[in-house]
Amino acid sequence: MTGQTLIHLQDVSKRFVKGRDTITIFDHLGLTIPAGDFVAVMGPSGSGKTTLLNLLGGIDQPTGGSITFDGGRVDTLTEGQLARWRAHNVGFIFQFYNLMPTLTAARNVELPLLLTSFGRAERKRRVEAALSLVGLAERANHYPREMSGGQQQRVAIARALISDPKLLLCDEPTGDLDRTTADEILSMLRLLNQEMGKTIVMVTHDPEAAKYARRTLHLDKGRFTERELVA
Amino acid sequence: MSDFYLLWRNLFRRKLRTFLMILAIFVAFVIYGVLGSINYAFEHGVDSSADNRLVVVNKITFIQPLPYAYVGKIAAIKGVKNVTFANWFGGYYQDARNQIGTFAVDPESYLRIYRDDLRIDPAQRDAFIHDRTSMVVGEAIATKYGWKVGDRIPINSNIFTNKANGSHTWELTVAGIAYAAKESFNTSFIIFQYENFNESKTFGKDTVGWITLETDSAAVNDTVAATIDDLFANSTAETNTQSEKAFGKAFLAQLGNIALIITLVVGAAFATILMIVGNTMVMAVRERTKEIAVLKTLGFPSWRIWRQVLGESVLLALLGGLPGLAVAGLLVMVLSKGASGAIPGLALTLPVAGLGVAFMLLLGVVTGFLPAWNALRLNIVTALGRL
Ligand SMILES: Nc1ncnc2c1ncn2[C@@H]1O[C@H](COP(=O)(O)OP(=O)(O)OP(=O)(O)O)[C@@H](O)[C@H]1O
Ligand SMILES: [Mg+2]
């Protein structure tokens, strides 16, 4: 079900300068992700998985090389342009959900719509649809602290989906959840990939979680050491 | 949902903390509103004095009297248009606590000099001039005690004794009521006939408290003042002549430098809230570092987050400050009634209120600036640590 190239990394390098030391995370890294793909990224701690997601999501810029998304360069955008680009194209799902504690589930989901020109009614309709999709319609008026980890993560998924982005980036989305809840979340991600055609890149430490992806990339010392296709 | 809703929720995230900050700002603006109004009333009361009026007082201190003969001598000086004089009486009504600014004056010349400041019915004016035991009561006093024309009122002095009855009491008939022609003119006074006073008092005969005169124009003020002071130099009662404005200011200075005290008190109140609110805002925004990073990740532009933080601190300042000003306005109203016009024109005026609102905005911007800047510069990658 995968199609044209959605993301293309070419000769991407990433270095951090810390005092006198320069840490090289990536050096001439290449990667192609077709639209509709579901990629799991695994690797030891410190191997650069999060850094990779930051680059894919346009919240960090490469030191060298190019990143294209849907045929357009991302690495050359300014900070303001990147913000707009993220709002349209990327949904983020974090390990610790990162919901706004002062807002109800519905308002958390609505948050990205503040960046669009949708009217009140349309926003309400979309929020309801997104919450139903993740099975939390009844929880619309609950605050994050009143919900379990799994429920909060589902709200986060609804928030990531609300502006209908092509790409979902998940950094250990089940890292804080028990097996059963993790499987629920992962099934939901798989569904989003299969039924809605969302392209997903998911970082995980859990081999069981990786099985939900179409393929797994192993990252070590700044290189993809192995590529395997899962079913 | 709007940006304002986010801002509002953030502001009231910790209700007690926000409430305490609002309270601190509220108190500061009550203080500002009341003291600022008093200061304004004082400054503008003084300013209402005519430009070409001079006051002649004893050089030693203005409490020392001047010989009555000076009045005629001053009237003869070139450039002097009108002369009058007044004597402090130390008046009160019934109870020594009910002090009233009471002056023994020459009716005709006194009312002529204050013709632009006081409004009085011509018939009442004539009655005052012709009835030796009458008085004219300022509107504020007439209203306070409910006195009407024709009433006979015993006025006491805490200085003088009445030869006629050996007591401190003078019985005076209300000949008329004087109204302020200018809003800021103090009508909390009584004037009665100097002749009556001079003949019935037991000491200090043929002296006056001070002499007020009108020059041909403000341009000759300095020359006239110099001529007068030269004339009485080396006499037993040397004089000091200054403009009425300067006299009023000097009089206030005797009460203590009100403006300075007010500025210090208000300044201290503002410095305190500036530190409290500024520090709390920095902490409050630091606590949400991660949330701000998430907002930026979702695509909220930095300027919008900057605007939110600044909006939050400005809103905080307004939430405390506006009610503070409103309460100050009420207090000033009560105060101005209670003082029965002792401070003429005492009200929370537009300039004072306007400056107050400007202070609120300034407070909001100053306390919000650093946290807003921090939020603007916040780097997503470092703030999130991990995605
Ligand atoms: N802002 C930064 N400044 C300096 N070094 C950084 C920065 N961000 C990441 N690094 C370094 O880059 C390397 C990769 O970090 P990254 O967070 O991408 O690893 P990771 O694979 O996600 O690890 P984990 O599994 O623990 O989450 C680490 O050595 C880290 O210390
Ligand atoms: Mg990581």
Side-chain angles (χ1 to χ4, degrees):
Chain A
M1 230 196 86
T2 56
Q4 294 175 300
T5 298
L6 181 68
I7 303 166
H8 185 62
L9 270 63
Q10 194 169 346
D11 288 332
V12 164
S13 54
K14 180 67 186 171
R15 281 181 274 277
F16 289 112
V17 183
K18 245 186 194 168
R20 257 177 248 153
D21 302 330
T22 303
I23 313 163
T24 303
I25 314 289
F26 304 126
D27 199 13
H28 296 288
L29 187 75
L31 174 65
T32 303
I33 298 172
D37 205 353
F38 184 172
V39 187
V41 179
M42 299 189 75
S45 189
S47 56
K49 303 182 296 296
T50 296
T51 305
L52 177 68
L53 285 195
N54 288 346
L55 292 175
L56 295 178
I59 60 176
D60 202 357
Q61 290 285 40
T63 317
S66 69
I67 300 174
T68 35
F69 181 91
D70 226 2
R73 288 283 288 268
V74 176
D75 56 287
T76 52
L77 298 181
T78 64
E79 199 195 301
Q81 291 169 326
L82 268 178
R84 211 169 312 135
W85 176 82
R86 284 197 299 274
H88 283 112
N89 296 296
V90 194
F92 294 87
I93 296 161
F94 309 86
Q95 177 176 358
F96 297 106
Y97 333 124
N98 282 343
L99 301 175
M100 300 293 148
T102 51
L103 302 180
T104 60
R107 291 191 192 276
N108 262 290
V109 174
E110 192 189 341
L111 208 48
L113 295 184
L114 291 187
L115 299 163
T116 66
S117 52
F118 293 127
R120 231 183 144 85
E122 172 66 10
R123 282 199 254 173
K124 192 165 181 284
R125 198 187 61 72
R126 283 184 174 238
V127 169
E128 277 166 8
L131 278 174
S132 307
L133 188 73
V134 296
L136 284 176
E138 284 93 74
R139 293 285 187 155
N141 294 319
H142 287 222
Y143 285 91
R145 62 172 179 278
E146 299 163 348
M147 289 186 275
S148 71
Q151 287 168 332
Q152 289 188 54
Q153 193 61 300
R154 284 193 273 161
V155 174
I157 292 173
R159 178 177 71 184
L161 288 173
I162 193 79
S163 37
D164 199 21
K166 290 199 173 92
L167 177 65
L168 291 183
L169 298 176
C170 323
D171 199 348
E172 302 184 36
T174 58
D176 197 42
L177 302 173
D178 63 51
R179 184 77 263 149
T180 325
T181 316
D183 283 333
E184 276 173 33
I185 296 294
L186 289 161
S187 306
M188 193 171 286
L189 290 178
R190 186 164 61 190
L191 199 75
L192 293 174
N193 173 250
Q194 287 177 349
E195 302 298 323
M196 297 174 70
K198 300 294 177 197
T199 306
I200 301 177
V201 180
M202 173 180 76
V203 166
T204 182
H205 278 118
D206 175 14
E208 291 299 314
K211 285 182 186 163
Y212 285 82
R214 289 174 192 264
R215 60 181 175 129
T216 303
L217 297 176
H218 287 273
L219 194 58
D220 199 5
K221 300 195 177 74
R223 300 246 148 251
F224 294 116
T225 54
E226 178 190 339
R227 297 174 180 220
E228 68 183 57
L229 286 163
V230 179
Chain B
M1 187 167 58
S2 59
D3 278 28
F4 184 79
Y5 181 83
L6 290 181
L7 185 160
W8 185 264
R9 296 293 306 181
N10 275 329
L11 183 56
F12 288 99
R13 167 184 305 241
R14 300 207 180 190
K15 296 202 173 55
L16 181 65
R17 178 170 75 187
T18 304
F19 173 75
L20 288 176
M21 281 199 291
I22 288 179
L23 192 70
I25 298 169
F26 171 85
V27 169
F29 276 92
V30 170
I31 293 173
Y32 162 80
V34 171
L35 295 186
S37 297
I38 291 175
N39 191 32
Y40 186 88
F42 273 140
E43 289 193 338
H44 288 256
V46 169
D47 280 349
S48 76
S49 320
D51 282 328
N52 65 337
R53 270 203 307 254
L54 301 181
V55 179
V56 186
V57 296
N58 192 302
K59 197 175 177 181
I60 300 166
T61 107
F62 69 78
I63 307 167
Q64 292 280 318
L66 294 170
Y68 176 77
Y70 282 18
V71 178
K73 287 182 183 163
I74 287 171
I77 289 171
K78 187 165 169 284
V80 176
K81 196 158 89 183
N82 285 307
V83 184
T84 193
F85 56 90
N87 220 315
W88 182 249
F89 180 70
Y92 64 92
Y93 176 58
Q94 285 175 343
D95 189 311
R97 277 172 304 182
N98 298 332
Q99 296 239 7
I100 304 172
T102 308
F103 310 102
V105 304
D106 169 54
E108 203 273 325
S109 62
Y110 193 85
L111 289 176
R112 181 155 15 99
I113 283 225
Y114 288 100
R115 62 193 176 276
D116 291 334
D117 300 285
L118 288 173
R119 211 157 33 74
I120 181 168
D121 180 275
Q124 294 181 0
R125 180 178 166 278
D126 287 345
F128 179 41
I129 292 170
H130 293 115
D131 181 352
R132 268 170 43 96
T133 61
S134 70
M135 63 175 167
V136 162
V137 179
E139 184 200 3
I141 294 293
T143 312
K144 183 172 177 184
Y145 295 111
W147 296 342
K148 292 188 188 48
V149 173
D151 288 356
R152 249 186 115 67
I153 312 288
I155 302 293
N156 302 300
S157 170
N158 54 27
I159 306 171
F160 301 102
T161 309
N162 191 345
K163 240 188 335 204
N165 53 20
S167 76
H168 294 293
T169 310
W170 272 258
E171 275 226 333
L172 301 170
T173 312
V174 180
I177 291 165
Y179 297 86
K182 292 176 186 160
E183 207 213 313
S184 60
F185 200 84
N186 184 358
T187 60
S188 181
F189 68 83
I190 290 174
I191 46 177
F192 70 108
Q193 286 220 4
Y194 176 79
E195 240 181 85
N196 174 18
F197 171 66
N198 195 41
E199 279 161 22
S200 50
K201 68 179 173 178
T202 51
F203 64 91
K205 218 168 166 62
D206 294 331
T207 58
V208 299
W210 62 88
I211 296 165
T212 303
L213 62 102
E214 203 174 12
T215 59
D216 287 336
S217 85
V220 300
N221 282 3
D222 289 345
T223 332
V224 170
T227 313
I228 293 170
D229 291 344
D230 285 349
L231 181 63
F232 302 117
N234 302 319
S235 73
T236 47
E238 297 197 346
T239 59
N240 177 21
T241 306
Q242 49 189 153
S243 72
E244 195 177 52
K245 272 193 211 306
F247 181 67
K249 286 218 168 92
F251 184 73
L252 288 182
Q254 294 267 338
L255 297 175
N257 194 334
I258 292 171
L260 180 67
I261 292 169
I262 287 174
T263 309
L264 286 177
V265 171
V266 171
F270 277 136
T272 311
I273 52 166
L274 208 63
M275 285 186 286
I276 295 175
V277 177
N279 185 46
T280 314
M281 278 302 294
V282 169
M283 284 194 328
V285 172
R286 190 177 296 150
E287 276 170 15
R288 351 192 249 265
T289 297
K290 205 154 187 178
E291 288 169 39
I292 291 170
V294 170
L295 283 179
K296 285 194 175 186
T297 304
L298 294 180
F300 278 82
S302 293
W303 61 264
R304 209 157 144 176
I305 294 167
W306 177 85
R307 190 181 65 180
Q308 283 217 356
V309 174
L310 211 59
E312 195 177 322
S313 62
V314 169
L315 182 64
L316 179 72
L318 291 176
L319 284 177
L322 290 177
L325 268 193
V327 167
L330 287 178
L331 284 177
V332 163
M333 256 166 68
V334 171
L335 214 66
S336 96
K337 283 230 173 71
S340 72
I343 308 169
L346 179 60
L348 185 61
T349 55
L350 206 62
V352 174
L355 189 65
V357 173
F359 275 147
M360 284 170 218
L361 298 178
L362 189 70
L363 174 73
V365 170
V366 169
T367 54
F369 183 80
L370 189 63
W373 179 254
N374 289 343
L376 180 78
R377 298 302 310 267
L378 189 106
N379 179 279
I380 303 176
V381 178
T382 15
L384 280 182
R386 60 194 322 166
L387 192 73

